[in-house]
Amino acid sequence: MVRVTVPATSANMGSGYDSIGIALELYNVIDLAENDHIDISDKNGQYVPQDESNLIYQCAKRVYDECGKPLSGLTIVEDCAIPQTRGLGSSSACTVAGIMGANMLLGEPLDRNAVIDLAATIEGHPDNSTPAILGGFCVALLENGHVHHVRVPVHGAIDFVVFIPDFQLSTEKARAALPKTIDHHDAVYNLARAALLAGSLTTGKLENLDAATGDCLHQPYRFGLIENGEDIVREAKKLGALGAFISGAGPSIVAIVYKGDRDYITRAQELCEKHYPHWKAVQLRCDEVGA
Ligand code: HSE
């Protein structure tokens, strides 16, 4: 039996559409063992697909196939804390768990970069799976099946508060809402901000974060799919966040906060209780370890 522990991730961080993501201290823990049939269960009694359609199984099978090894079945036991379809990398966590679990069962034929490449290729974008594997704040570019990536140290003074709604939004639907082409001005708007974001997070120039997390490539098209999403971003900033944005494809919203602002989470929880009962606020640190 092998165990893979995969962190939640928040992709995009506003300006870094499909290229920037951060790992968060919230985990899916997946146990895998070879078996002569498929046996999939969830420790918490949540529904999980119990046949070949299970994403963890599919990704594990892909590793066996690519390594030319036969697979007759797997026992998979899931213990998942990452909420599903909320923009916090739950499907990426399953993809990474399947790949890394199979790789461990086979004696690690894939090195870390091959794992990163395969996970991003399966996902179609690298900004969840790369930080899920490496931990921390990552910039990643997927090109021709290869991920060019860098893990950038995050300045110690910040924490994250995640506003999670009680409704789901599929990544497919959130990607379908985006335009096929964009204006040159919009490309420059995001390019400058994404670069500013990476530099500001590293150096601790936190006063840049509000501008640096601004975006016009995806958020304006997605807010219409997230009831109260724009209100939460606005209110999160009013409460003192350094920046706030849609987490991944949504619907969750992430606020970057000063670590020293210990009461932010209380104010955020009160906001939800009083005005946005379909949302809850949770404080999460950056995961530094990865899967
Ligand atoms: N970058 C991706 C998107 C993340 O925004 O669609 C999906 O989790």
Side-chain angles (χ1 to χ4, degrees):
M1 198 270 283
V2 297
R3 169 166 291 183
V4 192
T5 301
V6 192
T9 45
S10 181
N12 302 329
M13 299 188 75
S15 52
Y17 178 72
D18 272 4
S19 57
I20 285 178
I22 193 155
L24 297 169
E25 286 189 344
L26 180 68
Y27 300 94
N28 283 1
V29 181
I30 312 294
D31 293 336
L32 300 96
E34 287 188 358
N35 198 340
D36 58 5
H37 63 283
I38 299 174
D39 179 6
I40 302 174
S41 57
D42 182 273
K43 269 193 174 163
N44 309 308
Q46 290 188 69
Y47 168 77
V48 288
Q50 293 181 332
D51 54 18
E52 303 79 5
S53 68
N54 181 285
L55 183 57
I56 299 171
Y57 179 82
Q58 283 183 355
C59 294
K61 175 88 169 68
R62 173 96 173 244
V63 174
Y64 275 76
D65 290 349
E66 293 206 355
C67 294
K69 303 280 184 194
L71 178 67
S72 41
L74 281 176
T75 297
I76 299 174
V77 181
E78 304 185 23
D79 185 359
C80 298
I82 307 171
Q84 289 179 9
T85 330
R86 307 293 163 86
L88 290 168
S90 62
S91 69
S92 175
C94 291
T95 301
V96 169
I99 295 170
M100 289 187 67
N103 196 39
M104 286 158 80
L105 288 170
L106 289 170
E108 314 249 346
L110 305 181
D111 66 17
R112 177 124 306 199
N113 281 335
V115 168
I116 289 171
D117 290 351
L118 181 57
T121 301
I122 290 173
E123 287 258 296
H125 51 87
D127 48 337
N128 288 110
S129 50
T130 308
I133 294 165
L134 295 177
F137 171 76
C138 293
V139 182
L141 157 69
L142 172 64
E143 190 173 53
N144 301 325
H146 175 59
V147 180
H148 302 266
H149 60 82
V150 62
R151 189 183 145 169
V152 183
V154 176
H155 193 269
I158 59 167
D159 254 344
F160 299 88
V161 167
V162 187
F163 295 83
I164 307 173
D166 62 9
F167 54 87
Q168 303 185 336
L169 173 59
S170 79
T171 300
E172 203 185 351
K173 191 170 171 191
R175 288 180 85 83
L178 306 185
K180 294 273 176 286
T181 58
I182 52 146
D183 198 76
H184 191 269
H185 171 270
D186 291 352
V188 174
Y189 182 101
N190 270 64
L191 185 63
R193 282 167 172 76
L196 189 68
L197 176 61
S200 303
L201 277 179
T202 308
T203 57
K205 212 153 187 288
L206 305 181
E207 68 272 26
N208 284 342
L209 291 180
D210 189 26
T213 51
D215 159 75
C216 65
L217 295 188
H218 65 105
Q219 295 192 152
Y221 307 98
R222 288 173 163 173
F223 276 128
L225 303 172
I226 306 171
E227 197 178 342
N228 293 130
E230 230 170 336
D231 304 329
I232 296 280
V233 167
R234 189 186 58 245
E235 296 299 327
K237 290 184 191 181
K238 268 202 216 159
L239 291 180
L242 299 161
F245 43 82
I246 298 175
S247 182
S252 295
I253 303 292
V254 167
I256 307 179
V257 301
Y258 279 117
K259 218 170 231 163
D261 187 358
R262 293 187 192 283
D263 294 337
Y264 186 95
I265 183 63
T266 310
R267 299 197 297 279
Q269 284 167 343
E270 279 172 9
L271 173 80
C272 293
E273 276 161 28
K274 277 195 194 143
H275 300 292
Y276 302 100
H278 293 288
W279 294 72
K280 64 175 182 186
V282 183
Q283 181 149 13
L284 295 172
R285 293 231 161 85
C286 173
D287 165 274
E288 300 286 351
V289 180

